[in-house]
Amino acid sequence: MTTELNPTASAMIPAPATPYQRDIARYWNSEARPVNLRLGDVDGLYHHHYGVGAVDHDALGDPEDSEYEKRLIAELHRLESAQTEVLLDHLGPVRADDTLVDAGCGRGGSMVMAHQRFGCKVEGVTLSSSQADFGNGRARELRIQDHVRARVCNMLDTPFESGSIAASWNNESSMYVDLHDLLAEHSRFLKVGGRYVTITGCWNPRYGQPSKWVSQINAHFECNIHSRREYLRAMADNRLVPQAVIDLTPDTLPYWELRATSSLVTGIEEAFIKSYGDGSFQYVLIAADRV
């Protein structure tokens, strides 16, 4: 049984479990970075993650051209959407009558892409009421509000019935929560045989401890990046069996190197480029099945 969708973000608003989560809700409610909004303005898909793939330098053209910055922004956005396509590729078979969950859905770009690909219902959860309202507004504009909904909700305590969800994901949102609590909740609401996918930055245990660059990223986003080992351990403890572990680090570096040359720099680009380069930070996809 799946929950009927409606366009209101306030269908269920459980209180954040901790003062930290209240801080995170406050952070994302006030966030309006041009790097997120201007990229989304390219085609109306608003993401809160990074990109993968080779840069199309032919599409960029001459840096001296007056339209170069506009083309650069479009290229960054293309790489963002390519990242979502990689995630959706790993969800496995999805039917039109299935329901998917985007945990930490942001402004809803990945939800829209999932519905467009599969024709299914997609439920998003976020602690940010402004993000949920924005995502629901886009769904209404696209006339897909009966299939795509964002709600203000703690991803560690969702309203979805046990065993009711065909597939779910965290796209660069798992660093805001305890992994065992998060994956226990995904395991609870996923059907047996359902697929969970995460794409995330994680610190490399082989480096020893989080590097100074990882610490800078944590401070910038007010998050707590986990190690790759922690993801695999938490999955094993919660009946989620990895089917694929893919190192996307080489594929995301071109995005960061291009972004560092744009007008949308936020000051964190160097930390990503340096940490990916020295091996202390990795960008990974893990796909796991609920058993």
Side-chain angles (χ1 to χ4, degrees):
M1 178 179 178
T2 58
T3 306
E4 291 299 315
L5 300 189
N6 68 57
T8 63
S10 57
M12 182 173 184
I13 311 179
T18 65
Y20 170 74
Q21 288 182 310
R22 286 194 291 273
D23 288 342
I24 295 307
R26 190 179 306 113
Y27 175 93
W28 287 108
N29 277 334
S30 62
E31 182 276 332
R33 289 194 183 95
V35 72
N36 292 322
L37 295 173
R38 285 186 63 191
L39 268 62
D41 288 343
V42 171
D43 61 5
L45 291 170
Y46 292 85
H47 297 303
H48 284 275
H49 58 256
Y50 309 125
V52 297
V55 172
D56 185 347
H57 291 283
D58 290 337
L60 289 175
D62 185 352
E64 300 302 319
D65 191 291
S66 61
E67 293 293 302
Y68 178 79
E69 183 69 13
K70 180 179 178 181
R71 291 195 293 267
L72 187 152
I73 289 170
E75 181 65 6
L76 288 173
H77 181 64
R78 183 186 69 82
L79 297 174
E80 282 187 317
S81 291
Q83 190 260 30
T84 297
E85 296 287 3
V86 170
L87 188 152
L88 298 179
D89 288 344
H90 286 84
L91 287 182
V94 177
R95 303 178 309 187
D97 61 350
D98 284 333
T99 299
L100 312 182
V101 169
D102 182 351
C105 63
R107 290 184 172 94
S110 296
M111 292 197 295
V112 173
M113 290 179 67
H115 170 68
Q116 290 173 338
R117 179 186 288 205
F118 301 118
C120 60
K121 292 183 178 179
V122 189
E123 291 265 16
V125 298
T126 172
L127 288 174
S128 168
S129 58
S130 64
Q131 286 185 344
D133 288 340
F134 188 103
N136 287 331
R138 284 295 298 136
R140 289 193 295 274
E141 291 169 1
L142 295 169
R143 299 184 180 180
I144 58 174
Q145 67 269 25
D146 291 337
H147 291 85
V148 173
R149 172 177 63 176
R151 68 172 85 197
V152 180
C153 181
N154 182 351
M155 71 170 77
L156 305 181
D157 183 20
T158 68
F160 311 119
E161 292 188 17
S162 297
S164 66
I165 303 301
S168 61
W169 66 85
N170 285 95
N171 196 355
E172 295 184 21
S173 56
S174 56
M175 63 287 296
Y176 288 101
V177 292
D178 177 88
L179 283 182
H180 280 268
D181 293 344
L182 174 68
L183 296 177
E185 182 64 0
H186 281 277
S187 182
R188 181 192 67 78
F189 62 61
L190 280 171
K191 299 176 180 178
V192 173
R195 172 66 58 88
Y196 170 73
V197 178
T198 185
I199 294 182
T200 187
C202 56
W203 64 270
N204 185 355
R206 292 186 177 181
Y207 191 81
Q209 288 291 330
S211 68
K212 66 176 182 179
W213 303 115
V214 172
S215 297
Q216 286 184 23
I217 296 168
N218 276 334
H220 183 84
F221 293 104
E222 299 185 24
C223 64
N224 181 31
I225 292 166
H226 308 289
S227 72
R228 184 173 62 179
R229 182 181 297 155
E230 290 174 275
Y231 281 92
L232 298 174
R233 185 182 300 125
M235 288 180 181
D237 289 345
N238 287 288
R239 304 182 66 86
L240 292 165
V241 178
Q243 304 299 309
V245 180
I246 301 172
D247 184 357
L248 295 173
T249 307
D251 301 297
T252 197
L253 259 175
Y255 166 89
W256 284 103
E257 291 167 345
L258 182 63
R259 176 167 148 174
T261 70
S262 76
S263 63
L264 301 178
V265 292
T266 63
I268 199 62
E269 288 78 13
E270 181 187 20
F272 278 91
I273 293 168
K274 294 291 189 181
S275 60
Y276 286 144
D278 69 16
S280 63
F281 195 45
Q282 296 175 308
Y283 197 56
V284 300
L285 178 149
I286 306 174
D289 287 346
R290 168 68 162 88
V291 298

